[in-house]
Amino acid sequence: MKLLVVEDNTRLSERIFERLHKHHSVDIVETGHEVLVKTKSVQYGVIILDLGLPDMSGLEVCKRLRESMVDTPILILTGTSEMSVRVELLNHGADDFMTKPFDANELRARVNTLGRRRERQPPRKIIQHSDLSIVLDQRRVYRHGDLIEL
């Protein structure tokens, strides 16, 4: 499975890489902008996303990914354990989250779990043109991520 790790702390991203690269192909980026560019050309099994990025918040990245119809599971890494933040993350498209500091074995287990869930889902059939997305299996049309009633 191919993973995208989005973490601006080099030391932490290296630790995550060391823990996961034996079992997965791992790409690492440091900014939200890099995530948005990478996910347009590469299909990832799971995205591991830090909330505190230098150019935009992880929450904003999560929202933009979902608006662009990226359905890759997103595991959020956060330094906060506030319930309101967790609820907001889940409401805006995050699939799971872990509070820092975290155990590397638990991270690997959560990544594997999200990957298994994705493998069981049939691939989405999406026709994309500019800002218009047609999700064939749902029979829905979106413009700029907003549902268009038909």
Side-chain angles (χ1 to χ4, degrees), residues 66-97:
R66 295 310 186 217
E67 287 170 358
S68 341
M69 305 308 295
V70 173
D71 64 350
T72 304
I74 299 173
L75 172 63
I76 301 285
L77 300 179
T78 177
T80 181
S81 59
E82 291 180 35
M83 181 61 71
S84 60
V85 172
R86 293 185 304 198
V87 169
E88 187 175 19
L89 289 167
L90 294 170
N91 283 336
H92 286 95
D95 295 280
D96 198 1
F97 62 91

Side-chain angles (χ1 to χ4, degrees), residues 69 126-129 131-135 140-143:
M69 305 308 295
I126 300 173
I127 299 171
Q128 183 77 41
H129 179 72
D131 63 345
L132 187 70
S133 303
I134 303 170
V135 184
R140 293 186 177 188
V141 178
Y142 297 86
R143 176 160 300 214

